[in-house]
């Protein structure tokens, strides 16, 4: 028997002895930019770029959070501030961080993550980078109902519930009048702009006719601020994110198939109408609860998904990366508003509008409209 025949028989015997391990000759090559991880007879294909980009972005979020906890009228070292956030440090540092700065940072993280998720889902659904809760009227509807809960009724409703109802109302109107948000993405966007303008006018009308004290109480929901946010509203937003983030990840995996026509997506097993309704529900919940906490922080839902796509690449719907980018942008906007003109504090909503305005103009000038049927 020749050595070649002996080697072949030995390889065959080895493969038969370990049936859980596929032969090297039958292993399929992995796509570029991915790695195949095998453990216990199971394997998963991991995209390298989104994973590394998301990890780097999380480190940025941690670093920005540390700076936000450290900077103020009394400055601390960022490492000391992070330790004080976990109760480790002097009594003064722990009191300063845990009672004064940490709740504001938590609100910024939750609001930014919610807006990033909502923006990513809406842009992917409408197949348009300009379609976000800011531009299709979700935030304006939530703001109008939140202001109405403060100024328009004798007994104030919970602003979180009112904002959710307002965002759902705006979404229903935009979806019905715009003919859906798939292949009619630009029509959906234009209809949403009109609905947002109407809700904005209603908000201004309510503020102009309200008593001065009620108008001052509702003012925070018109400019967007993270100062002295209600702890119950922040807790409700965090609870909503615990439910919406896993749902958004699952929906994002299916949304990538909507890049094809509805017929092709249906042939691939996607229930197109149900998927669009699910995306709208998650986006409405995230946007409504975020507005209930901080008011309409413009441009976060627009810029965060765009940054996430540049980090994660075009092959996936970067839901989690968009959440991290939105959290980082919101923290930076709040930090800049607190420190740029200190001791005068600029609301975070004004910072995002000033910084995001030129970016929106650039996006409008570089986005090529597509013809739709």
């Amino acid at each position: 028997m020749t050595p070649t025949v002996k080697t072949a028989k030995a390889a065959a015997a080895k493969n038969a002895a370990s049936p859980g391990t596929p032969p090297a000759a039958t292993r399929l090559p992995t796509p570029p930019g991915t790695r195949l991880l095998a453990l216990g007879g199971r394997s998963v294909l991991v995209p390298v770029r989104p994973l590394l980009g998301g990890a780097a972005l999380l480190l940025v979020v941690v670093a920005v959070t540390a700076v936000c906890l450290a900077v103020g009228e009394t400055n601390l070292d960022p490492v000391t501030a992070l330790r004080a956030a976990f109760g480790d440090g002097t009594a003064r540092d722990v009191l300063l961080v845990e009672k004064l700065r940490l709740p504001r940072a938590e609100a910024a993280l939750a609001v930014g993550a919610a807006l990033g998720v909502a923006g990513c889902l809406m842009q992917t659904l409408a197949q348009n980078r300009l379609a976000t809760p800011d531009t299709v009227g979700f935030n304006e509807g939530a703001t109008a109902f939140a202001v109405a809960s403060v100024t328009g009724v004798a007994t104030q409703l919970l602003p979180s519930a009112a904002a959710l109802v307002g965002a759902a109302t705006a979404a229903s109107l935009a979806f019905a009048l715009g003919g859906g948000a798939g292949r009619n993405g630009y029509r959906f966007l234009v209809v949403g702009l009109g609905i947002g303008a109407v809700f904005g006018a209603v908000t201004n009308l309510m503020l102009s006719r309200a008593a001065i004290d009620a108008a001052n109480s509702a003012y925070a929901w018109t400019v967007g601020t993270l100062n002295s946010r209600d702890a119950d509203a922040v807790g409700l937003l965090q609870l909503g994110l615990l439910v919406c983030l896993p749902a958004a990840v699952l929906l994002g995996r299916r949304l990538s198939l909507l890049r094809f026509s509805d017929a092709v997506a249906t042939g691939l097993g996607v229930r197109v109408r149900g998927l669009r309704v699910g995306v709208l529900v998650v986006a409405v919940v995230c946007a409504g609860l975020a507005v209930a906490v901080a008011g309409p922080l413009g441009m976060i839902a627009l810029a965060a998904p765009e940054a996430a796509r540049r980090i994660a690449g075009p092959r996936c719907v970067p839901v989690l990366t968009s959440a991290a980018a939105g959290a980082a942008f919101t923290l930076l906007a709040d930090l800049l508003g607190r420190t740029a003109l200190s001791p005068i504090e600029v609301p975070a909503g004004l910072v995002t509008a000033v910084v995001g305005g030129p970016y929106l103009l650039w996006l409008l000038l570089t986005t090529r409209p597509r013809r739709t049927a």
Side-chain angles (χ1 to χ4, degrees):
M1 183 179 296
T2 63
T4 305
V5 175
K6 291 182 179 180
T7 304
K9 288 185 175 181
K14 183 178 180 180
N15 291 333
S18 57
T21 304
T26 62
R27 290 178 183 174
L28 296 177
T30 59
T34 62
R35 292 292 183 272
L36 187 64
L37 300 181
L39 181 63
R42 296 179 179 272
S43 60
V44 60
L45 197 63
V46 178
V48 177
R49 179 176 173 180
L51 185 62
L52 295 180
L57 191 57
L58 284 178
L59 292 178
V60 172
V61 172
V62 173
V64 176
T65 303
V67 174
C68 289
L69 295 178
V71 174
E73 292 186 3
T74 301
N75 293 326
L76 301 175
D77 180 77
V79 177
T80 302
L82 278 180
R83 293 176 55 189
F86 293 95
D88 183 13
T90 64
R92 188 206 68 164
D93 293 344
V94 172
L95 176 64
L96 181 65
V97 172
E98 285 190 345
K99 299 301 182 182
L100 299 180
R101 297 177 183 174
L102 185 59
R104 184 163 180 160
E106 290 178 349
L109 289 170
V111 168
L115 291 177
V117 170
C120 179
L121 293 179
M122 289 301 304
Q123 288 178 351
T124 309
L125 177 64
Q127 302 177 26
N128 192 323
R129 294 189 297 171
L130 301 177
T132 66
D134 307 322
T135 56
V136 298
F138 290 11
N139 287 358
E140 287 78 5
T143 301
F145 275 66
V147 170
S149 71
V150 178
T151 64
V153 293
T155 302
Q156 292 187 4
L157 303 175
L158 184 65
S160 297
L164 272 180
V165 174
T169 302
S172 301
L173 290 174
F175 195 78
L177 298 178
R183 298 172 64 185
N184 298 323
Y186 273 92
R187 180 180 175 182
F188 179 74
L189 175 61
V190 173
V191 169
L193 288 172
I195 292 172
V198 171
F199 276 118
V202 171
T203 300
N204 292 331
L205 178 62
M206 287 188 294
L207 289 175
S208 65
R209 297 180 63 86
I212 186 64
D213 292 337
N216 288 333
S217 299
Y219 179 70
W221 278 280
T222 63
V223 296
T225 180
L226 292 163
N227 185 28
S228 302
R229 295 297 86 201
D230 183 59
D232 293 335
V234 176
L236 186 59
L237 172 58
Q238 293 171 339
L239 181 62
L241 281 175
L242 289 178
V243 177
C244 289
L245 271 178
V249 172
L250 295 177
L251 290 171
R253 294 178 179 177
R254 310 295 289 175
L255 269 178
S256 59
L257 297 178
L258 291 187
R259 297 170 182 172
F260 307 104
S261 65
D262 290 356
V264 174
T266 302
L268 293 174
V270 178
R271 296 181 180 179
V272 177
R273 186 174 182 83
L275 178 60
R276 287 174 178 160
V277 172
V279 168
L280 282 177
V281 169
V282 174
V284 163
V285 172
C286 289
L289 292 179
V291 170
V293 172
L297 290 180
M299 304 301 167
I300 298 295
L302 181 69
E306 189 70 18
R309 290 188 189 94
R310 293 182 180 274
I311 294 173
R315 295 184 178 180
C316 63
V317 180
V319 174
L320 295 179
T321 312
S322 298
F329 288 162
T330 306
L331 282 170
L332 286 172
D334 185 52
L335 177 64
L336 185 61
R338 287 194 298 114
T339 58
L341 300 178
S342 182
I344 300 174
E345 180 174 322
V346 180
L350 296 181
V351 175
T352 58
V354 171
V355 176
Y359 172 75
L360 177 60
L361 291 176
W362 173 82
L363 200 60
L364 286 169
L365 293 174
T366 57
T367 299
R368 295 181 179 180
R370 296 177 303 173
R371 293 183 180 180
T372 56

